[in-house]
Amino acid sequence: MLFRSEATAEARLLGAANTLVRRGDGWLAHNTDLFGYQSMLGEYLPSRALLLGAGGGARAVAHALSLLGCRLIVAVRELAAGQALLEALDLEGRVIPWGERHQVLPEVDLVVNATPVGLGHPGTPPGSMGRRSDRDGPTPLDPESLGRLPEGARVHDLVYARGETPFVHWARLVGLEAADGRAMLAGQAAAAHAAWLGGAMPLGAYREALEALLV
């Protein structure tokens, strides 16, 4: 039997799909990352953001922010990857080397960690384990440098863990509003729920479930 598959406009734009819905003799591929990050943003309207990383999650973040008119600075280890992200989404932005990410903090009102830095580390780090900022450490930015962000700036970490991720932990310690990836995950789950079962997206229910699981 020949199956015919299609992808939603969002999945085609972002170049990835994470939810499949059976339709007749084929499948419809969805990408729930965009709604996931939009639900994480809520009513917040940043004007300029520092995006750390250029992978699949970063594409969804970049697209969501561009829809709000937010200007992007993308920090990556490979400049070509950052430029490819902007070109794929037809966005204007600034790509900087990973080593220069701390220097632009006074220019932005949002920092988004879309890298795996911090993944696998326990939440709410004890002692000095949360103070390293390197490929193997739990935070993508030196905790001391977070104080250079303007008043009212926010930190978003797409990584999530029980308790707080190290990055969110240190951001809150210096008085910043911060959220980890469970906020995005709840949105992704709600969007997948609606795609599979139809009807409204039960965002509140998934948020409550994740808060109970990741205490």
Side-chain angles (χ1 to χ4, degrees):
M1 179 181 295
L2 179 64
F3 287 88
R4 292 180 295 179
S5 298
E6 299 178 12
T8 64
E10 290 172 359
R12 291 195 302 271
L13 176 65
L14 299 177
N18 59 6
T19 301
L20 295 177
V21 178
R22 186 67 180 268
R23 286 187 13 171
D25 60 351
W27 300 88
L28 179 62
H30 293 254
N31 186 302
T32 64
D33 293 349
L34 178 61
F35 179 77
Y37 187 66
Q38 287 174 326
S39 67
M40 188 174 184
L41 273 170
E43 300 299 316
Y44 185 54
L45 298 173
S47 60
R48 178 174 286 188
L50 171 61
L51 176 59
L52 304 173
R59 282 197 177 197
V61 170
H63 183 47
L65 292 173
S66 72
L67 294 176
L68 300 176
C70 179
R71 301 175 66 183
L72 290 175
I73 302 174
V74 184
V76 286
R77 299 185 189 278
E78 300 291 337
L79 295 181
Q83 196 59 47
L85 179 149
L86 296 178
E87 291 175 358
L89 298 174
D90 194 23
L91 301 178
E92 292 185 4
R94 180 176 159 199
V95 179
I96 62 173
W98 183 253
E100 296 180 8
R101 64 198 186 282
H102 296 91
Q103 300 173 19
V104 300
L105 292 179
E107 304 176 31
V108 303
D109 52 9
L110 173 65
V111 178
V112 184
N113 176 34
T115 77
V117 175
L119 190 64
H121 289 271
T124 314
S128 62
M129 78 81 84
R131 302 186 74 82
R132 299 196 314 278
S133 172
D134 52 39
R135 187 183 295 272
D136 300 318
T139 58
L141 289 171
D142 294 323
E144 292 84 356
S145 69
L146 290 173
R148 300 174 62 196
L149 286 165
E151 184 178 355
R154 298 190 184 188
V155 165
H156 287 169
D157 190 357
L158 300 196
V159 174
Y160 55 89
R162 292 187 181 277
E164 301 170 310
T165 65
F167 191 34
V168 165
H169 175 75
W170 288 107
R172 288 174 175 166
L173 278 183
V174 298
L176 297 169
E177 186 170 336
D180 68 12
R182 75 185 71 186
M184 181 171 176
L185 183 60
Q188 291 171 306
H193 180 112
W196 285 325
L197 302 177
M201 289 186 273
L203 182 58
Y206 281 107
R207 282 177 172 166
E208 291 177 6
L210 280 171
E211 288 299 325
L213 285 170
L214 298 175
V215 293

